[in-house]
Amino acid sequence: MKVIKLSELKFSQEIELIPFEVKEDGVEVKFYSEGVQAGFPSPADDFKEEKLSLDKRYLSNPDATYLIRVAGNSMVPTLEINDILVVRSDFELKDKCVVIVSVNNTEFTVKRYNEDNKELIADNPDFPNIKIGEDDTLICLGIVKNLIRDL
């Protein structure tokens, strides 16, 4: 059996690991469940404020969750440089998922998994897809579940 240590993992230039710390009291922000009006808002909307716990929504299982920053263009237009990905390592690899993977212990990258064609898809047509052969080893660090993007 081969054991791969976390310190041995190599990330490609497309992604950057972002460490985070979970605090006891959590994180809450203002959340307007009714959304935002593109036209003239109702004066009553000022009173529809709720609380949204970011840690409960995005970090519900902190031991299996990590954040990665996108640093390359292979997944444009789906993912853009500097997007932050919330990745869960406790979810099963499924068709069409965006995943953080390594093939044959190469650098980890972010791609879309195509189960039928045994292929890792780059959403940007300027980048090649990666075929997964019968003898290849696929290491999946997790499934991208959420995207954080600054506007």
Side-chain angles (χ1 to χ4, degrees):
M1 171 172 70
K2 182 172 182 170
V3 176
I4 299 174
K5 298 177 184 175
L6 188 60
S7 61
E8 296 175 24
L9 302 179
K10 298 172 277 185
F11 290 93
S12 72
Q13 294 182 3
E14 286 192 302
I15 52 180
E16 172 188 350
L17 188 63
I18 300 173
F20 69 93
E21 181 180 353
V22 178
K23 306 260 181 176
E24 285 183 29
D25 55 349
V27 178
E28 289 188 346
V29 296
K30 293 179 182 177
F31 175 65
Y32 298 91
S33 61
E34 298 298 316
V36 62
Q37 294 288 328
F40 187 74
S42 163
D45 285 346
D46 291 342
F47 303 103
K48 292 183 180 178
E49 178 183 309
E50 298 176 22
K51 295 290 184 182
L52 170 68
S53 171
L54 294 178
D55 57 328
K56 287 179 186 172
R57 179 163 180 158
Y58 298 110
L59 306 174
S60 61
N61 186 353
D63 292 333
T65 305
Y66 60 96
L67 305 177
I68 287 205
R69 184 184 315 277
V70 176
N73 291 318
S74 74
M75 291 299 287
V76 168
T78 308
L79 305 175
E80 298 178 7
I81 291 175
N82 290 323
D83 284 350
I84 296 173
L85 309 178
V86 180
V87 182
R88 292 285 299 264
S89 63
D90 58 337
F91 289 160
E92 292 293 319
L93 182 63
K94 293 183 183 175
D95 189 39
K96 297 183 177 82
C97 286
V98 176
V99 296
I100 307 299
V101 292
S102 166
V103 179
N104 299 326
N105 206 26
T106 58
E107 292 180 330
F108 280 89
T109 188
V110 58
K111 296 289 182 277
R112 186 175 308 280
Y113 177 62
N114 183 317
E115 189 172 24
D116 294 336
N117 295 335
K118 302 293 184 238
E119 193 171 33
L120 298 171
I121 306 294
D123 286 357
N124 184 338
D126 294 338
F127 287 79
N129 297 332
I130 301 168
K131 280 297 226 182
I132 306 167
E134 288 289 324
D135 295 329
D136 288 333
T137 301
L138 184 69
I139 301 171
C140 180
L141 283 187
I143 309 299
V144 176
K145 295 309 294 178
N146 303 97
L147 165 69
I148 302 168
R149 177 178 292 158
D150 292 337
L151 297 177

